[in-house]
Amino acid sequence: MPPKKRARLKKTWQEIARKAQDHRDASLNGQLNGADEALEELEHAKQRSSNAITITHNLPNLISREVLEITGIHPCRLSTFLSAGYRKTEDVMSAFCQMAAVAQKSVNCLTELLSSRAMVRAVELDKQFAITGRPVGPLHGIPVSVKSHIGVQGCQMAAGYVAWWDSREHRASKDALVVQILERAGAIVHARTTEPQSMMQLECVSNLYGTTVNPHNTNLSSGGSSGGEAALLAMRGSVIGVGSDVGGSIRVPAAACGIYGLKPTAFRVPTTGWSSTPPGADPIPTVIGPMSICLDKIEDFMKTVLAAEPWKVEPALIPLPWRDVEINPTPEQPLRIGVALHDNVVLPHPPILEAMQKFIDKIGALPNVEVVKFPLYKFDEAWAIASSLYFTDGGAADRKVMEESEEPMLPLVRWMLEENPGVKNLTREELEYWLEEREEYRLEYAERWNQTGFWDEAEGQWSNTVDALICPVAPGVASIHNTAKYWAYSAVWNLLDYPALAFPLRNVDKNRDLVEHRDDFLSPQDQAHWELYDPEVFHGVPVGLQIVGRRLEDEKIVAILNHFRSHECLLVVPQFYEHEEGTPSS
């Protein structure tokens, strides 16, 4: 059925946006604890100079020592302290609410702080622990933030649209299923985070809240569409973030902000209780997935959610619990890792190429690990298929929502809907054609993966194929605003429905990651993207990669990354606060 025609709203889009911002600002009341003056000075510094500011370096001037101590505890140790009663949940939650408020004032990453709800739940958990001596669940007291189109009872689910913020129809009547599961496991949802207009941008900007900036460089994007989550987590304003991904929306912001982010296989994590435009991405399912500064919390999220057997509530889900996967490579059965430096369409910028090569060298030197070249396959064709299936109505539903409030279409939305040749209103025959192309591409890619091994006649199956693939998340690090127009490095895995996990490696160094002169380019897109790179502009910004597995091998890629971490191949995420001897640290 076509979407119902709705009358234009009585209020202007500017009035609605102001109301949304006032609501958000009011939710911060009482959480800044004397930081107002320092935050005001920080804002003035941003306005006075075009130079980038690294918010993470300014935190000791913006928030108390006690809050820095608590939010600086490594998430694994924090879980231990909370579940053993060494830390009161009320104190921990108070600290994270304060840090989230400072993060909002610094990088514009929240749509709402849920401090009242969070503190009530924290007190309840402390009371229950005092009575029973046991944690409520595996996530007892852990602060969790959620992207704002995921339902929290009584809150708007605007999906970046002005009209939906002012709509009763898009107010959550109850918590989304994933939120219910997390809170039953003891987690506390304390913040809701920004998302871009249409949810289809690889940065985070809307007419409702403006632009979310990168905590490592305020002149750059935090990525999108889960950019608010990534920025808040990078600021240590949360421990686990709940994002969503249909073309890179978890992994691109995770890489941009220096954290971990998992795009699971579709139909594993429940999506009941969220909002999005109806016809938009059904042929390429949008997934919900975890984000965190800590790889262990990525796994804790998946274990917890799947242990709740959500398929009994949401029948479309695959009834598959999280499985324990052990990585113990031997000379007879080595761990085989495919690597791909680029996709033959757009060459990544120097920091990504250098980080990728160093990482390949590190893992290749590990015992019983074999590195295999895995050329990425027809990414230009993959993008043609994906972009044709993202908006099967040609973007009509999105335009209609924007017309209701008369909000302007933002540059990257305009690029996607009006400058992208793949986006058009498909006839039934055209839709069937692109769905057939999708399935053909999936078959071809499966064959490509199989050919990294051999056909075992005795077993009647493919053997010794690569266990996972390492490749870029995007052709650049955190993007200059309105330039994130190349999606293929991330979107192809949504098209294939392969799980992919972004992870941090290092930061850009202007003295090492120099501009390389090039005369030959792979494509016009390659040249345009290469010209965006300037080591001065991107200095200090995180560099991330992604590990990709075959469908339903989510557990395997997490286990492989854990194996590499155990051999010190991954970045140790730095803390903002140097703990004194004897205090908890990472």
Side-chain angles (χ1 to χ4, degrees):
M1 293 288 290
K4 293 179 182 179
K5 187 173 182 179
R6 292 168 60 103
R8 284 189 171 87
L9 304 178
K10 293 180 181 178
K11 297 174 187 171
T12 66
W13 73 262
Q14 293 95 332
E15 289 172 327
I16 297 170
R18 183 69 261 164
K19 185 178 176 183
Q21 292 164 29
D22 288 345
H23 174 79
R24 176 203 58 204
D25 293 347
S27 76
L28 305 181
N29 285 346
Q31 297 301 321
L32 293 174
N33 281 355
D36 305 72
E37 189 175 327
L39 286 163
E40 239 180 85
E41 178 54 36
L42 178 66
E43 188 58 35
H44 290 154
K46 285 195 233 174
Q47 294 171 4
R48 284 195 304 266
S49 172
S50 59
N51 294 333
I53 293 175
T54 303
I55 301 298
T56 53
H57 293 171
N58 282 275
L59 274 177
N61 301 321
L62 301 175
I63 204 157
S64 73
R65 180 189 183 92
E66 182 184 7
V67 169
L68 283 170
E69 283 183 352
I70 293 174
T71 58
I73 298 171
H74 191 279
C76 290
R77 187 164 291 193
L78 181 63
S79 289
T80 301
F81 291 164
L82 287 166
S83 62
Y86 296 149
R87 286 278 187 177
K88 288 184 67 177
T89 304
E90 185 178 1
D91 295 339
V92 169
M93 190 49 56
S94 175
F96 275 92
C97 284
Q98 290 177 60
M99 184 64 88
V102 167
Q104 161 53 32
K105 298 296 284 186
S106 304
V107 297
N108 191 32
C109 58
L110 298 188
T111 64
E112 192 169 4
L113 186 62
L114 304 172
S115 55
S116 296
R117 168 183 166 137
M119 295 309 297
V120 166
R121 182 59 176 154
V123 170
E124 288 175 356
L125 290 179
D126 283 337
K127 285 180 179 177
Q128 289 183 56
F129 190 92
I131 294 168
T132 66
R134 296 191 303 272
V136 167
L139 298 179
H140 182 93
I142 293 298
V144 171
S145 47
V146 296
K147 191 174 179 179
S148 288
H149 75 120
I150 298 167
V152 173
Q153 185 175 15
C155 298
Q156 294 298 125
M157 300 181 291
Y161 291 115
V162 172
W164 283 6
W165 194 91
D166 213 34
S167 163
R168 289 185 181 180
E169 185 182 336
H170 289 91
R171 182 178 300 148
S173 59
K174 60 181 180 179
D175 291 343
L177 180 54
V178 69
V179 172
Q180 295 177 36
I181 292 170
L182 292 170
E183 292 214 318
R184 283 200 297 268
I188 303 178
V189 172
H190 71 300
R192 304 176 70 234
T193 54
T194 51
E195 56 207 4
Q197 182 187 62
S198 86
M199 307 284 287
M200 293 295 283
Q201 297 185 53
L202 290 184
E203 79 162 282
C204 197
V205 55
S206 72
N207 290 311
L208 276 169
Y209 300 105
T211 301
T212 301
V213 297
N214 195 304
H216 302 278
N217 182 322
T218 55
N219 285 346
L220 299 176
S221 167
S222 63
S225 61
S226 306
E229 277 302 324
L232 178 64
L233 288 158
M235 291 279 290
R236 307 300 193 272
S238 182
V239 173
I240 297 175
V242 186
S244 62
D245 192 313
V246 73
S249 289
I250 285 175
R251 291 156 291 148
V252 169
C257 293
I259 64 170
Y260 295 88
L262 172 66
K263 180 205 83 67
T265 302
F267 305 110
R268 293 203 73 181
V269 177
T271 60
T272 297
W274 69 358
S275 68
S276 63
T277 48
D282 291 342
I284 303 177
T286 304
V287 300
I288 283 177
M291 305 169 74
S292 182
I293 67 162
C294 174
L295 182 57
D296 298 282
K297 291 304 165 199
I298 298 292
E299 189 166 14
D300 286 350
F301 172 96
M302 294 298 293
K303 281 182 177 178
T304 300
V305 171
L306 298 184
E309 300 184 333
W311 48 84
K312 292 182 177 177
V313 178
E314 191 174 313
L317 298 179
I318 300 165
L320 181 65
W322 188 260
R323 299 154 292 178
D324 290 328
V325 174
E326 291 188 11
I327 304 297
N328 294 308
T330 64
E332 295 74 29
Q333 288 188 311
L335 180 62
R336 302 187 77 233
I337 302 297
V339 296
L341 288 174
H342 64 85
D343 66 355
N344 295 307
V345 182
V346 174
L347 188 70
H349 286 165
I352 295 173
L353 292 173
E354 196 273 350
M356 181 97 178
Q357 191 56 61
K358 286 282 178 64
F359 186 67
I360 292 169
D361 293 343
K362 275 187 178 181
I363 63 174
L366 297 179
N368 306 318
V369 174
E370 182 182 346
V371 173
V372 180
K373 286 187 178 179
F374 189 158
L376 298 178
Y377 182 66
K378 293 184 179 179
F379 268 36
D380 49 355
E381 182 177 315
W383 176 246
I385 298 168
S387 60
S388 298
L389 291 174
Y390 278 139
F391 298 92
T392 56
D393 65 346
D398 297 82
R399 289 188 182 90
K400 182 176 287 293
V401 177
M402 287 182 269
E403 287 168 3
E404 287 175 24
S405 67
E406 298 184 326
E407 66 169 301
M409 186 183 292
L410 296 174
L412 287 180
V413 178
R414 187 174 302 282
W415 167 78
M416 174 62 87
L417 294 183
E418 298 184 355
E419 299 173 27
N420 193 324
V423 177
K424 58 184 177 180
N425 191 4
L426 302 181
T427 64
R428 178 174 176 175
E429 291 76 13
E430 288 170 331
L431 176 58
E432 288 174 351
Y433 168 81
W434 286 113
L435 290 174
E436 288 173 6
E437 288 291 297
R438 179 193 68 185
E439 293 311 302
E440 183 63 30
Y441 186 78
R442 289 175 173 178
L443 286 170
E444 290 178 12
Y445 222 97
E447 182 180 3
R448 189 86 168 181
W449 198 295
N450 289 337
Q451 288 174 352
T452 63
F454 63 89
W455 178 257
D456 189 326
E457 289 288 353
E459 297 292 331
Q461 63 184 18
W462 288 96
S463 182
N464 206 39
T465 60
V466 297
D467 294 286
L469 170 67
I470 302 291
C471 63
V473 177
V477 291
S479 60
I480 299 168
H481 296 298
N482 297 318
T483 63
K485 297 181 179 180
Y486 192 73
W487 290 37
Y489 278 105
S490 54
V492 67
W493 311 118
N494 298 84
L495 179 67
L496 293 168
D497 194 22
Y498 287 4
L501 171 58
F503 59 96
L505 275 181
R506 66 173 183 86
N507 292 344
V508 178
D509 183 343
K510 65 183 179 182
N511 298 313
R512 175 173 54 180
D513 301 316
L514 304 176
V515 179
E516 297 177 15
H517 176 73
R518 293 177 64 194
D519 291 319
D520 296 322
F521 294 94
L522 301 172
S523 66
Q525 292 165 293
D526 182 28
Q527 181 172 0
H529 192 270
W530 190 260
E531 290 171 355
L532 293 172
Y533 182 66
D534 181 340
E536 291 284 345
V537 170
F538 297 103
H539 179 68
V541 172
V543 181
L545 301 175
Q546 63 183 330
I547 181 170
V548 180
R550 301 186 84 160
R551 189 167 183 267
L552 298 174
E553 291 190 344
D554 310 54
E555 296 91 337
K556 189 175 184 180
I557 61 173
V558 172
I560 291 171
L561 210 56
N562 265 317
H563 180 73
F564 293 152
R565 182 178 63 168
S566 70
H567 287 82
E568 300 181 345
C569 294
L570 299 184
L571 171 74
V572 177
V573 179
Q575 299 296 302
F576 295 146
Y577 178 73
E578 295 297 329
H579 298 280
E580 292 181 354
E581 188 176 353
T583 62
S585 72
S586 62

